[in-house]
Amino acid sequence: MSQKSYLTILKIGVYLSFLSIFLVCKSLLFPYITGKQIYFNILTEILFIIWLLFIVKYPESRPKKSLITIGLFFFLASIFLSSIFGVDFNLSFWGDIERMLGVFHIAHFLILYLVIITVFRTKNDWRGLLTASISVAIAISLYGLIKHISYSTIGNTAYVSGYIIFNIYFALILLLSEKNWGIKSLCIAGIAIMLWAFKIANTSGAYVGLGTSIAVLFFLYIIFSKNKKKKIISLTFLIALIVMIGTIFANKKSDFVKNNRYLNSITHSISFNKPTFQTRLISWKTAAEDFIYHPILGTGYGNFAIIFDKHFDPKFYNYTRSETYFDRAHNNLIDIASTSGTLGLLAYLSIFVAVSYYLIKNFKNKNIDLNNFILLICLFVAYFIQNLAVFDSLVTYISLMVALGYIYCLTHKKTTEEKNKKEILTSSLAGYVLLMTLILILIVTYQFNIKPLKMLQQTINGHIAINREGLAAGIEAYKKALSYNTILDRDSRATLVRLISSNESYLNNIEQGKAFDILDYGIELAKKNIQYNPKDSLAQMQFALIANIAAQRAQSAQNTEKFYYYSDQALTAIDQSIKASPRRIPIYFHKAQIYLTRGENDQAISTLKYAITLNEDYYDSTCQLAQVYLSIGQNDEGFKLIDKCIDMGGVNLFQSPGLIKNLISHYAEQNNEFKKILKLYERLSVLEAKNVKIWIDLAKLYEQAGDKDKAIQTARKASALDKSLEKSVDQFIEKLGN
């Protein structure tokens, strides 16, 4: 095959990599992540084979030595080394289906970079590649805007923002370097569309990153431009930008800012008091606390969860009650430093030190023009700052490889090399090496991409089968999924264990022996996941939950031997979970439940009392203890804590309609407890939404409270459920009007 043919195929392959950004595979777990990465992996593996053939046959086309390339290889080597010595090699190297960013996947981005710097050498090449990248970004932005989906096909607004930042700067580079008005028009329109989508994504870190980079842009033009007019314009815009931003934030409580949806959104997003910022501070603090234990290689690339669990701060619940498990530090530098140590951080930073070196050196030597110099610096400023509140994803990694490739091209001008230079390998030996490489890549593609894809599709089939045909049918589908024996089986196992644990009712219509078979299978899967990392708090807790369910069924079957067999395992596992994350409060709730199942009520109570001391503002602990007291007949203590639970806002934690009705009866006998009764009825209306009597009673309570609007809305819900009440409801509403 000719050199031109190789170049054409490899270029098309790079263009095709952009298609991964469009993929949303609803037939897979995490549809915005998994399908994209598997497609990208397979494509780059094919490209790698072609690339190897190309550089062996045409050695003059091999990439030159570059500090950027060395930095990328250094980073890959360092995170691989951290994986070997880390706590969970499987997670570090292969990643999980939620992120798909293990060492294995990072290597594929490096392949893309190598292909880019090999085949995109000329100005025309880069005009085409940057135009393609911008066009895809415009399409992604338009899709999100038209469909009113802020995360578009990417699945996360932070990823969308980071991706847009890259392509805004790519568009600016083309806009200022191209004379073709067709391309200029595309860039101008593209920037406008992308900024609109950027606004809809509304990501605080991206606002700060892009805003800071724009300020740096004006500043650099003031410093380096030799055109006096440009200096004055840049200075004017910089001052205007600073004054505008300062004025907005100084007057963020003014009616003008509050009444402007966009400005109000920005001022609320960029705030140190924002709950998401506070939770990130907690995660960064945990990384700092743990760093001294693993300063060189970290805990293992991608294993931030074990750090976060170990040093979890219960104050976290003061800011949010959801998303309490952080598998990433939400700060790229901290994440890399904590999981791959000083070595990994230095390797990562070396990439950007190399970028800075080449940009400054070549600008001084006049090999790079002013616009490229400034825009590329500002691009990396924006990227770095945004990543201080998030981490990379497939879309930003692809864009990063394009940006690094562009800098390589600008700073490594093509020169004619001797075509008859001595080869390292003889032609025959090279042929054997390539053949073995081809076979190896094909094995990798099938074993680590095709098989996981089939497994994940079958996992979804199992999930669907459970909902449609019952647990027994779903289990068979899951067994088929796990028969592929892939590197991502952990995630499939975990989904089934969670399904069984959180839907115990699935077992009620199954014959007792079969139910125990299913539970034993779930326990077996949970144990396999623990083998990856015995210090995985979440995996240990999942094991404890399913083992306790098995113990409860054995208890119902009056099988004492089986009961203690399962219950002892549950207690051991929950203790291991607590050991791995000693201040994560909900784990203690599960331990208390295990004690209750064992009839060890005092231990259950003392466990929950300790949980309360971890964070007294976290009302879940108080509500849990209150319900335990009531369940074991200690009503005086129970009602005291129920009062506190409701007053703190914990009524929505009650899941039993029977409990709520008993509480309503209790408070009906008390004086001045109208507010508590109203709250309980509101919760009961959620749990028994089709119970007409509850809506009628609730409407009357709203009437007593003087809330006519809610009384009317509630009464209409009652009549919607029972048409015979329409006349009575109309009379009730008419009465309210009087």
Side-chain angles (χ1 to χ4, degrees):
M1 189 161 57
S2 68
Q3 186 177 25
K4 185 177 180 181
S5 298
Y6 274 110
L7 288 170
T8 301
I9 292 170
L10 289 170
K11 286 178 182 178
I12 291 172
V14 173
Y15 287 126
L16 289 175
S17 70
F18 294 157
L19 294 181
S20 62
I21 301 168
F22 291 102
L23 295 180
V24 179
C25 302
K26 295 183 179 179
S27 61
L28 300 175
L29 295 169
F30 298 100
Y32 292 96
I33 303 293
T34 317
K36 285 180 171 62
Q37 189 67 54
I38 290 177
Y39 165 83
F40 181 80
N41 288 353
I42 294 171
L43 176 64
T44 50
E45 286 159 12
I46 294 170
L47 288 177
F48 184 63
I49 295 170
I50 300 170
W51 177 77
L52 276 178
L53 290 169
F54 176 57
I55 63 172
V56 168
K57 187 173 182 180
Y58 301 99
E60 70 275 12
S61 296
R62 294 173 187 171
K64 298 177 187 178
K65 290 181 181 178
S66 166
L67 293 177
I68 295 174
T69 309
I70 292 170
L72 286 168
F73 273 102
F74 180 27
F75 177 62
L76 183 66
S78 66
I79 62 176
F80 176 64
L81 194 62
S82 77
S83 303
I84 294 174
F85 293 97
V87 296
D88 187 342
F89 177 82
N90 179 275
L91 182 60
S92 293
F93 191 80
W94 301 113
D96 58 22
I97 59 174
E98 183 178 0
R99 305 296 183 196
M100 297 290 280
L101 286 176
V103 176
F104 175 71
H105 306 102
I106 302 301
H108 288 74
F109 296 113
L110 178 55
I111 292 171
L112 179 68
Y113 165 80
L114 291 173
V115 174
I116 288 173
I117 65 173
T118 302
V119 302
F120 288 89
R121 297 287 186 89
T122 68
K123 185 176 181 180
N124 285 338
D125 289 338
W126 279 99
R127 179 190 295 115
L129 187 61
L130 293 181
T131 301
S133 180
I134 295 163
S135 299
V136 170
I138 292 171
I140 294 296
S141 299
L142 284 173
Y143 179 84
L145 292 168
I146 293 169
K147 294 287 187 178
H148 303 288
I149 303 173
S150 58
Y151 48 79
S152 189
T153 64
I154 294 174
N156 185 307
T157 54
Y159 299 162
V160 171
S161 299
Y163 177 63
I164 286 175
I165 284 174
F166 272 103
N167 283 282
I168 285 174
Y169 274 101
F170 291 162
L172 287 171
I173 287 169
L174 283 184
L175 181 63
L176 296 179
S177 63
E178 285 297 321
K179 296 180 180 179
N180 184 307
W181 273 102
I183 293 177
K184 282 181 175 289
S185 300
L186 175 70
C187 292
I188 293 170
I191 290 170
I193 292 168
M194 287 188 283
L195 284 174
W196 189 8
F198 185 84
K199 169 188 170 183
I200 301 301
N202 193 31
T203 307
S204 53
Y207 281 141
V208 176
L210 184 60
T212 303
S213 72
I214 292 172
V216 171
L217 183 146
F218 291 136
F219 178 76
L220 291 177
Y221 271 111
I222 294 169
I223 299 297
F224 292 105
S225 179
K226 294 180 180 179
N227 185 309
K228 188 175 181 180
K229 186 177 179 181
K230 285 184 179 179
K231 283 178 177 286
I232 294 172
I233 292 173
S234 297
L235 178 61
T236 303
F237 274 108
L238 179 60
I239 293 172
L241 180 66
I242 294 171
V243 170
M244 181 181 70
I245 293 174
T247 302
I248 290 171
F249 278 92
N251 297 278
K252 63 181 180 180
K253 294 183 179 180
S254 68
D255 291 338
F256 174 77
V257 174
K258 285 183 177 180
N259 293 333
N260 186 302
R261 184 185 300 176
Y262 183 51
L263 294 180
N264 191 43
S265 175
I266 291 177
T267 55
H268 276 80
S269 294
I270 306 173
S271 170
F272 291 121
N273 296 321
K274 189 179 178 183
T276 52
F277 180 76
Q278 292 299 320
T279 56
R280 279 161 172 71
L281 280 179
I282 291 173
S283 76
W284 302 341
K285 182 181 176 183
T286 64
E289 290 175 356
D290 195 75
F291 185 76
I292 58 173
Y293 301 108
H294 314 274
I296 307 302
L297 294 175
T299 56
Y301 184 70
N303 273 282
F304 182 76
I306 195 169
I307 297 171
F308 187 68
D309 285 346
K310 181 180 178 181
H311 302 282
F312 182 82
D313 188 343
K315 289 181 181 179
F316 191 96
Y317 299 113
N318 294 345
Y319 305 107
T320 181
R321 292 167 181 273
S322 61
E323 298 182 5
T324 60
Y325 281 90
F326 274 25
D327 64 336
R328 297 279 172 167
H330 291 81
N331 178 307
N332 212 34
L333 296 182
I334 291 175
D335 195 86
I336 291 170
S338 59
T339 61
S340 55
T342 305
L343 185 65
L345 180 62
L346 290 176
Y348 179 74
L349 292 176
S350 73
I351 301 167
F352 303 100
V353 170
V355 165
S356 302
Y357 167 75
Y358 283 126
L359 287 177
I360 294 170
K361 178 184 176 182
N362 284 272
F363 177 65
K364 285 183 176 179
N365 294 337
K366 298 182 179 180
N367 293 326
I368 296 180
D369 63 58
L370 178 65
N371 291 332
N372 268 302
F373 174 68
I374 290 177
L375 290 174
L376 287 168
I377 288 177
C378 292
L379 166 58
F380 282 99
V381 167
Y383 166 73
F384 245 90
I385 292 175
Q386 196 235 2
N387 266 7
L388 295 179
V390 72
F391 45 89
D392 276 309
S393 63
L394 177 137
V395 295
T396 54
Y397 267 127
I398 290 176
S399 299
L400 177 61
M401 295 306 110
V402 172
L404 293 176
Y406 183 62
I407 292 171
Y408 172 94
C409 174
L410 289 176
T411 57
H412 292 77
K413 301 298 182 183
K414 186 177 180 181
T415 59
T416 303
E417 299 180 19
E418 294 182 6
K419 295 187 179 182
N420 59 350
K421 66 180 181 180
K422 185 178 179 181
E423 296 297 325
I424 297 174
L425 300 174
T426 65
S427 59
S428 59
L429 181 56
Y432 285 122
V433 171
L434 287 172
L435 178 61
M436 294 303 296
T437 304
L438 172 62
I439 294 172
L440 180 61
I441 293 296
L442 291 175
I443 292 172
V444 167
T445 299
Y446 178 73
Q447 189 69 29
F448 305 129
N449 290 301
I450 303 298
K451 281 177 66 176
L453 179 63
K454 291 181 178 180
M455 181 275 292
L456 292 170
Q457 289 173 333
Q458 194 61 39
T459 295
I460 290 293
N461 292 340
H463 194 98
I464 294 171
I466 287 175
N467 291 324
R468 291 180 180 176
E469 304 172 48
L471 192 56
I475 292 292
E476 292 307 311
Y478 266 95
K479 286 183 177 179
K480 184 176 179 181
L482 294 170
S483 69
Y484 288 106
N485 193 27
T486 76
I487 41 87
L488 294 177
D489 284 352
R490 180 206 312 242
D491 297 290
S492 182
R493 295 189 200 108
T495 59
L496 180 57
V497 172
R498 283 196 299 268
L499 273 172
I500 297 172
S501 301
S502 58
N503 297 278
E504 191 179 350
S505 59
Y506 286 152
L507 297 166
N508 293 338
N509 298 323
I510 299 176
E511 184 268 325
Q512 188 179 91
K514 183 65 176 176
F516 277 115
D517 288 342
I518 290 172
L519 287 166
D520 285 335
Y521 180 62
I523 289 170
E524 177 191 344
L525 298 183
K527 286 180 177 179
K528 285 183 178 179
N529 279 357
I530 289 172
Q531 289 174 3
Y532 291 116
N533 176 15
K535 294 182 179 180
D536 186 332
S537 178
L538 182 59
Q540 290 282 9
M541 186 175 70
Q542 289 173 347
F543 174 34
L545 291 178
I546 194 169
N548 191 51
I549 290 173
Q552 290 170 344
R553 297 194 81 83
Q555 189 178 56
S556 299
Q558 298 182 340
N559 189 327
T560 305
E561 183 180 352
K562 249 187 176 182
F563 168 75
Y564 282 106
Y565 169 75
Y566 291 121
S567 186
D568 288 348
Q569 290 184 78
L571 193 56
T572 300
I574 206 68
D575 282 338
Q576 289 298 315
S577 181
I578 289 172
K579 185 178 179 181
S581 189
R583 298 198 294 167
R584 188 178 286 280
I585 297 174
I587 306 176
Y588 292 93
F589 302 165
H590 298 306
K591 184 173 184 179
Q593 185 57 54
I594 292 170
Y595 277 135
L596 288 174
T597 302
R598 295 168 68 93
E600 299 172 7
N601 297 340
D602 290 342
Q603 288 89 334
I605 290 170
S606 63
T607 297
L608 290 174
K609 283 183 175 179
Y610 176 73
I612 290 173
T613 66
L614 293 173
N615 184 346
E616 294 187 0
D617 294 326
Y618 185 55
Y619 54 73
D620 301 50
S621 306
T622 300
C623 299
Q624 288 281 342
L625 181 56
Q627 292 178 75
V628 168
Y629 273 128
L630 293 178
S631 69
I632 62 176
Q634 296 186 27
N635 291 342
D636 290 342
E637 291 293 331
F639 284 125
K640 285 180 184 177
L641 290 176
I642 284 290
D643 289 345
K644 189 175 180 181
C645 169
I646 296 175
D647 289 340
M648 292 175 74
V651 70
N652 288 335
L653 297 176
F654 299 149
Q655 300 296 328
S656 168
L659 170 65
I660 295 175
K661 290 173 183 177
N662 288 336
L663 293 177
I664 290 172
S665 298
H666 166 74
Y667 286 118
E669 298 173 0
Q670 311 295 316
N671 293 324
N672 301 319
E673 297 294 358
F674 175 79
K675 290 183 179 179
K676 288 188 176 68
I677 293 172
L678 180 58
K679 289 179 181 178
L680 289 165
Y681 260 104
E682 287 175 334
R683 178 58 181 161
L684 193 59
S685 70
V686 173
L687 297 175
E688 294 190 355
K690 295 183 179 180
N691 190 326
V692 177
K693 186 178 183 305
I694 291 172
W695 290 108
I696 293 172
D697 291 342
L698 184 56
K700 292 177 180 178
L701 288 171
Y702 282 134
E703 179 190 16
Q704 287 180 252
D707 193 333
K708 292 183 179 181
D709 290 338
K710 286 187 177 180
I712 292 170
Q713 292 172 10
T714 306
R716 284 177 175 161
K717 286 181 181 178
S719 65
L721 290 169
D722 186 347
K723 298 297 183 182
S724 67
L725 296 174
E726 288 182 354
K727 185 176 180 180
S728 300
V729 166
D730 289 341
Q731 292 173 347
F732 175 76
I733 293 173
E734 185 178 350
K735 177 185 171 185
L736 287 173
N738 295 329

